Amino acid sequence: MGFFADSFRSALLLFWNLDRELLEIIGVSLRVSFAATLIAALLAIPAAFFIAGRNFAGKRLLLTILNTLLALPTVVIGLVVYSLISRRGIFGPLDLLYTQTAMVIGQVILIVPVITTLTIAAVSRIDRRFRPTALTLGAGPGDLALVILREARYGIFAAVIAAYGRVIAEVGISMMLGGNAKGFTRTMTTAMALEYDKGEFVLAVALGIALMTIAFLINILFHFCQGQSDHAPV
Amino acid sequence: MPLYRMTDLLRRYGDSTVLNIDQLTIQPGQISTLIGPNGAGKTTLLQILAFLDRPTSGRLEFCGEEVVWQERQLLPLRRQVVLVDQYPIMFSGTVRRNVEYGLKLRQVAQAERRRRAMEVLAEVGMEAFADQDARSLSGGENKRVALARALVLQPEVLLCDEPTANVDSENQEIILRILLEQNRDRNTSIIFSTHYLSQGQRLAHHSLMLQQGSLSVTVSDNSFRVGVVSRSAERVECRLRGQLLISLPATLVPAAAVCRLHLDPARILVNPVEAEAVAGTRLVGEVVELASHGSRVRLVVDVGVRLVVFLDSRHYRQKPLSLGERLELVIPVSAMSCEAVDTLP
């Protein structure tokens, strides 16, 4: 217990002193996770609208596959992407291995199914009458999508938040595709794993605190936005 | 030029046919009502007329133009016709945002949008609610805002699905007054559904009766005011229009002194042979009118009052009838519906 308390105290001291290495690691984590979430959202939300709004052959199979992909282990994604971007892979000449771009690619693959399935659920949950109401008032296909986006916005926002939480906390992809290079591809989770291996817990605890604080702040932001919508009509 | 013209219009959901209309023409500038019980196909017909649902087969013309159900054509058509749902839903945001929505889609300037929204909200008596959350309204208020959201667009045609259902009598009167004023002052064609016959007849220039997806006949035919003469456990003796005495099953007639009786002309049997004999009310009369009506033949038979009967053309060709011929009519119980007049709004 004394050991943990000492580590915790030392970790707080790192924050207090604005330790350069700590800030660098947090910066890389936030940057990579944000880029991956943004790209995945731009791909997954339109795809979810398409899937939710249309009936087509194989839709049920596609939903089953997407649900299955939710359980995809990060090391499997890491392995597949590694085989594609390593020197002998088909994208080897692009020299992507052990870069932040490689980490973003892996993380996008990880969370596209998360945002897609949760957005499909959010869009399917909104009242069926919105569609004919918007159409009869003169909405075209683009206007209709905006109505659905607006009415399902909290569900979609929750999907994006969940995806962000998934990527910022993952370790397999970042380790296998980023390589944990100090100051370049070292994220909070890979640094924590490294520090654990070294038996150095101070930085690991500090990063754990940072990770939990970020998750907490994101959730507060989400609840704040939701609260605004409940009480203050636009 | 008719507002709508429908020919052989059919709408199926799976194996079930929910709408089957041979011929129907609706004229512009009128108030028309669709009258029928739940499940008669009123909502489906309104959705087709609003270009929101596509018929399985058949032809629909709007102002002389055939509807081909392609998105490129539908958007301009939908911008002339607005449907107010039986249970309208409000978009999230304020009442004014909801009313302005259609104007925004039509790229009306913000100041003009606001002016027109406030004007129409005043017309429906909801201007005090303009900045209120649209989802906090009562049922009647919700319907009035939905009406305002449609009226602000000044549509050629206003379609309303059961506009007075599930609202209190005060809101019912307000809604009906708004519909009448809209038709009178702006010459808007209005088509609304109701299952209250009296409401339809009170407001509409033209009423249409739907039964099990088919247009039975205009309501002015085969719709009779009946006075109850005597009542036993099984039968009720009624007098139609103060003339013909008729015996009806007690289960059909509500406990009221005056009722309105509808007889579905497509289900009345003419000279039934033994095999077709069914339980029902039997009447004898004389053919006084005979005319072709689409795929059917329309007879008017004087049985003391004039009854309209539709016969299938093929059936008619097998057993032709002539003017002045006396025949027996059997009205099965399934062809009758009866409602108390004094309980209607």
Side-chain angles (χ1 to χ4, degrees):
Chain A
M1 189 65 196
F3 169 71
F4 182 77
D6 286 345
S7 297
F8 191 75
R9 213 170 13 251
S10 303
L12 290 179
L13 210 61
L14 286 178
F15 278 108
W16 181 255
N17 293 331
L18 296 174
D19 181 80
R20 191 190 161 97
E21 187 185 357
L22 176 72
L23 296 182
E24 220 168 55
I25 292 169
I26 293 173
V28 170
S29 278
L30 291 177
R31 215 168 26 248
V32 170
S33 306
F34 181 78
T37 308
L38 183 69
I39 293 167
L42 290 174
L43 295 172
I45 294 172
F49 270 59
F50 181 85
I51 296 166
R54 283 179 170 77
N55 286 320
F56 52 87
K59 180 173 176 175
R60 197 177 287 266
L61 178 67
L62 180 62
L63 290 173
T64 308
I65 292 170
L66 283 170
N67 283 321
T68 308
L69 290 176
L70 292 177
L72 197 61
T74 54
V75 286
V76 173
I77 297 173
L79 204 61
V80 171
V81 178
Y82 181 91
S83 68
L84 294 173
I85 64 174
S86 65
R87 281 187 186 277
R88 284 182 292 177
I90 53 171
F91 299 113
L94 297 176
D95 210 16
L96 291 172
L97 192 60
Y98 305 135
T99 65
Q100 290 186 7
T101 308
M103 293 160 70
V104 169
I105 291 169
Q107 292 184 349
V108 166
I109 294 170
L110 177 69
I111 59 171
V112 158
V114 175
I115 301 180
T116 307
T117 49
L118 293 180
T119 302
I120 290 171
V123 168
S124 307
R125 259 199 314 270
I126 68 164
D127 198 298
R128 287 173 179 272
R129 289 170 294 171
F130 282 122
R131 187 178 178 278
T133 302
L135 288 178
T136 199
L137 293 173
D143 307 310
L144 185 62
L146 285 177
V147 166
I148 295 168
L149 186 68
R150 183 181 166 84
E151 299 304 331
R153 63 192 180 281
Y154 296 110
I156 296 170
F157 192 37
V160 175
I161 295 281
Y164 189 77
R166 180 87 174 94
V167 287
I168 205 165
E170 73 81 25
V171 63
I173 293 169
S174 300
M175 191 69 92
M176 293 172 79
L177 303 178
N180 199 20
K182 187 177 177 184
F184 187 52
T185 57
R186 182 164 297 173
T187 64
M188 289 189 277
T189 50
T190 57
M192 283 164 80
L194 179 70
E195 296 303 305
Y196 164 78
D197 282 347
K198 284 160 50 184
E200 296 285 341
F201 290 96
V202 174
L203 184 59
V205 171
L207 291 168
I209 293 169
L211 199 58
M212 293 311 296
T213 308
I214 290 165
F216 185 62
L217 289 176
I218 288 171
N219 275 292
I220 287 180
L221 178 71
F222 177 58
H223 285 290
F224 176 75
C225 292
Q226 211 164 17
Q228 287 287 303
S229 82
D230 292 343
H231 302 297
V234 181
Chain B
M1 184 188 297
L3 184 67
Y4 288 103
R5 189 196 297 275
M6 283 156 261
T7 314
D8 297 327
L9 205 76
L10 190 74
R11 182 66 175 105
R12 285 177 185 275
Y13 292 112
D15 293 336
S16 131
T17 301
V18 290
L19 199 66
N20 184 2
I21 294 177
D22 295 343
Q23 296 277 341
L24 177 61
T25 303
I26 297 174
Q27 297 300 330
Q30 293 193 340
I31 299 181
S32 305
T33 54
L34 300 173
I35 301 169
N38 289 338
K42 304 188 295 289
T43 300
T44 304
L45 179 56
L46 285 173
Q47 284 175 338
I48 289 173
L49 295 180
F51 314 111
L52 295 173
D53 191 14
R54 181 182 182 156
T56 311
S57 63
R59 181 186 170 97
L60 173 67
E61 287 174 33
F62 179 70
C63 296
E65 181 189 359
E66 185 181 357
V67 181
V68 291
W69 306 100
Q70 286 173 351
E71 198 57 42
R72 201 175 35 192
Q73 183 204 32
L74 290 179
L75 185 61
L77 289 180
R78 284 187 191 133
R79 290 197 172 183
Q80 299 173 63
V81 179
V82 182
L83 171 64
V84 179
D85 196 80
Q86 183 178 358
Y87 302 102
I89 190 153
M90 292 290 134
F91 300 122
S92 53
T94 61
V95 165
R96 194 174 60 227
R97 179 182 174 272
N98 269 273
V99 177
E100 286 182 13
Y101 178 73
L103 295 174
K104 197 173 172 183
L105 292 175
R106 287 159 179 79
Q107 294 174 338
V108 175
Q110 193 176 7
E112 174 68 3
R113 284 205 309 259
R114 191 187 168 100
R115 186 190 66 74
R116 280 169 65 177
M118 291 310 291
E119 201 176 275
V120 79
L121 280 171
E123 272 179 45
V124 301
M126 291 294 289
E127 71 271 40
F129 294 77
D131 293 317
Q132 193 167 315
D133 185 354
R135 294 187 177 174
S136 64
L137 302 173
S138 71
E141 290 163 353
N142 199 43
K143 285 214 169 181
R144 280 154 66 183
V145 171
L147 208 50
R149 190 167 62 177
L151 294 178
V152 77
L153 303 173
Q154 299 177 352
E156 297 289 318
V157 186
L158 179 63
L159 306 168
C160 298
D161 194 2
E162 305 264 6
T164 58
N166 308 312
V167 294
D168 58 50
S169 56
E170 187 190 347
N171 273 307
Q172 280 187 14
E173 285 308 314
I174 292 170
I175 290 167
L176 295 176
R177 176 183 55 76
I178 293 166
L179 293 181
L180 280 173
E181 285 174 0
Q182 188 70 18
N183 172 258
R184 190 188 59 211
D185 302 341
R186 295 190 181 145
N187 201 34
T188 307
S189 305
I190 293 173
I191 303 169
F192 73 93
S193 66
T194 178
H195 51 255
Y196 291 129
L197 184 70
S198 63
Q199 196 175 75
Q201 289 182 328
R202 179 155 66 97
L203 296 175
H205 300 106
H206 187 63
S207 296
L208 303 160
M209 183 78 138
L210 273 175
Q211 292 270 9
Q212 294 177 327
S214 294
L215 203 61
S216 52
V217 73
T218 50
V219 173
S220 53
D221 294 327
N222 286 9
S223 173
F224 304 99
R225 189 181 172 85
V226 295
V228 173
V229 176
S230 67
R231 189 184 287 268
S232 70
E234 293 191 348
R235 308 293 296 178
V236 178
E237 302 296 321
C238 299
R239 199 173 284 281
L240 266 66
R241 289 186 181 157
Q243 300 165 41
L244 179 72
L245 200 60
I246 188 170
S247 174
L248 301 172
T251 51
L252 185 78
V253 185
V258 183
C259 300
R260 182 152 294 268
L261 175 70
H262 313 285
L263 305 175
D264 182 350
R267 293 190 184 184
I268 297 175
L269 303 176
V270 176
N271 289 334
V273 292
E274 288 270 329
E276 292 176 324
V278 290
T281 300
R282 288 169 191 276
L283 298 166
V284 175
E286 187 177 300
V287 179
V288 292
E289 279 181 40
L290 199 53
S292 171
H293 198 270
S295 61
R296 298 187 291 191
V297 173
R298 184 177 187 269
L299 302 178
V300 179
V301 182
D302 188 349
V303 292
V305 293
R306 289 181 163 223
L307 274 188
V308 175
V309 180
F310 278 126
L311 285 179
D312 184 78
S313 294
R314 278 179 303 177
H315 184 260
Y316 176 79
R317 277 195 294 274
Q318 287 165 1
K319 296 179 190 172
L321 298 164
S322 53
L323 285 173
E325 187 175 334
R326 286 188 71 76
L327 42 77
E328 185 190 22
L329 301 179
V330 174
I331 309 166
V333 177
S334 61
M336 303 178 190
S337 62
C338 194
E339 58 195 342
V341 168
D342 50 359
T343 59
L344 295 173

